[in-house]
Amino acid sequence: MNGDWLIRGRDGRLGAYAPREEAVWCWAEQHPGGAWSAPRTVGGDQRVHPALAVGQGTDDYAHLVSWRPTGGQESGLVHATHFRPHLAALDWNPLGHPNKKGEATGVPAVTVDAQGRAHVFVPNRGGGVSMRGQKERGGWGPWRDLKGREVEGELAAVTRASGLVELYAASPAGILRWTQLGPGHIPALDEEPLKVAARPGTLRALTTSEEHVTLFFTDETDTVCAWRAGSEPVALLTCAGPGPVSAIRCTLDGVDCTLLAQRSLSGRVAFAAYPTERESAGAWWTESGPQLPSDVQLSLAHDHEDRVTAATLQPTTGQLLLTRRKEEPGLALEAWHTI
């Protein structure tokens, strides 16, 4: 999965998404803060591959993107919009293939601009990235080749506070970055990559202020690094485990903080928080919850009371675990429980 798959819907209820059994499943609270309903499939009856990208706009609608089989070994991308957790999502809308036809080319990414238009990114057969975006008055624009070379691992798509879209990707040459110059513009690739050795599959982008996006990645020394364009990357802390971090902004004891979470080598979930954009303050991991399988997925969100909520999902069994921050100082968490 790519993106924050645990999200708070427009009505305040939390929902979680995951690809399972040739479909996309959704778990949802029956009411904000209440018990959860049994999972159900969303997006119509079409079969989809076990790959899912989730994005959310300022209108709180969820945008889902996956691959579906189209015959033989070929596949095509599909998109659906989910307005509220207990409403049926729109049927899958075909987006086609970045190379017109062929096999799936990689895990997609999706983010939503200030006008509510989804931007879908996916690696293409040439080793670069292609994009297709929604039009302002409905429908979709054409597939566009955004260039780039030797892209590896999952893409990291994000929307800035200004509503403009950015994309990041790892490559042997370093981290590639695409940015929009204005609403509706095609994201353009920076002339030079950030020359760092970022491990593919570890990129996570988070809007951390009106001016900045912070990109988190793991380097070849097993260090989680933070980078904002226009400055040098900062080594933040040794990674807790091999996978990407999840990240969210939250207020802890009256301070605007960035909270990171990652499955640790012990199998538990590790959390670390520090004042937003003040990496020099330092951060330390604290582990929580039970030991989890190596393929577990992790996501962070705010609930209807704006409390930090963490969820883990085991893809093979569909087991969903959840915890929330307690109403007390610091980052004390409730006991993890099964949904």
Side-chain angles (χ1 to χ4, degrees), residues 112-163:
V112 186
D113 68 14
Q115 290 73 37
R117 298 175 295 202
H119 292 64
V120 175
F121 303 91
V122 68
N124 57 42
R125 275 203 302 265
V129 174
S130 293
M131 185 208 82
R132 196 171 185 192
Q134 286 181 317
K135 297 179 181 178
E136 189 169 1
R137 293 195 172 104
W140 292 80
W143 278 107
R144 301 180 185 277
D145 186 350
L146 302 185
K147 308 303 180 184
R149 295 180 59 188
E150 300 181 278
V151 166
E152 300 175 331
E154 287 80 14
L155 309 171
V158 67
T159 300
R160 300 180 66 96
S162 64

Side-chain angles (χ1 to χ4, degrees), residues 40-311:
R40 60 192 178 96
T41 60
V42 299
D45 297 328
Q46 297 179 36
R47 292 189 301 123
V48 296
H49 293 315
L52 177 66
V54 183
Q56 189 176 29
T58 55
D59 55 12
D60 291 329
Y61 297 158
H63 290 260
L64 313 175
V65 180
S66 187
W67 287 96
R68 65 164 180 171
T70 57
Q73 299 297 313
E74 296 186 352
S75 299
L77 285 161
V78 287
H79 166 270
T81 306
H82 204 180
F83 299 104
R84 290 210 310 268
H86 276 284
L87 287 179
L90 297 181
D91 285 346
W92 291 114
N93 176 48
L95 296 180
H97 193 286
N99 300 106
K100 295 186 178 179
K101 64 179 182 178
E103 298 180 355
T105 55
V107 179
V110 59
T111 194
V112 186
D113 68 14
Q115 290 73 37
R117 298 175 295 202
H119 292 64
V120 175
F121 303 91
V122 68
N124 57 42
R125 275 203 302 265
V129 174
S130 293
M131 185 208 82
R132 196 171 185 192
Q134 286 181 317
K135 297 179 181 178
E136 189 169 1
R137 293 195 172 104
W140 292 80
W143 278 107
R144 301 180 185 277
D145 186 350
L146 302 185
K147 308 303 180 184
R149 295 180 59 188
E150 300 181 278
V151 166
E152 300 175 331
E154 287 80 14
L155 309 171
V158 67
T159 300
R160 300 180 66 96
S162 64
L164 299 179
V165 166
E166 291 192 3
L167 181 74
Y168 298 83
S171 79
I175 293 176
L176 309 178
R177 172 177 174 257
W178 291 260
T179 58
Q180 281 184 315
L181 295 178
H185 288 218
I186 307 305
L189 178 63
D190 287 355
E191 290 186 7
E192 293 292 333
L194 175 68
K195 292 180 172 57
V196 294
R199 290 191 173 169
T202 66
L203 274 58
R204 174 67 171 87
L206 179 69
T207 298
T208 49
S209 66
E210 291 293 322
E211 300 82 16
H212 298 130
V213 165
T214 300
L215 180 75
F216 300 97
F217 64 92
T218 300
D219 69 10
E220 58 188 354
T221 68
D222 289 333
T223 300
V224 176
C225 301
W227 174 59
R228 286 179 288 279
S231 62
E232 292 298 315
V234 175
L236 185 56
L237 76 173
T238 300
C239 64
V245 297
S246 294
I248 195 171
R249 283 177 69 187
C250 60
T251 301
L252 298 177
D253 303 333
V255 178
D256 176 6
C257 291
T258 295
L259 175 66
L260 305 180
Q262 188 177 41
R263 181 191 176 276
S264 71
L265 290 174
S266 73
R268 305 176 73 200
V269 177
F271 294 92
Y274 69 95
T276 297
E277 297 190 357
R278 289 175 52 198
E279 287 80 12
S280 60
W284 300 266
W285 294 116
T286 300
E287 295 191 4
S288 173
Q291 289 186 323
L292 300 167
S294 60
D295 62 348
V296 75
Q297 302 278 343
L298 173 64
S299 191
L300 302 173
H302 293 284
D303 70 4
H304 66 293
E305 295 178 337
D306 218 29
R307 288 189 297 168
V308 170
T309 304

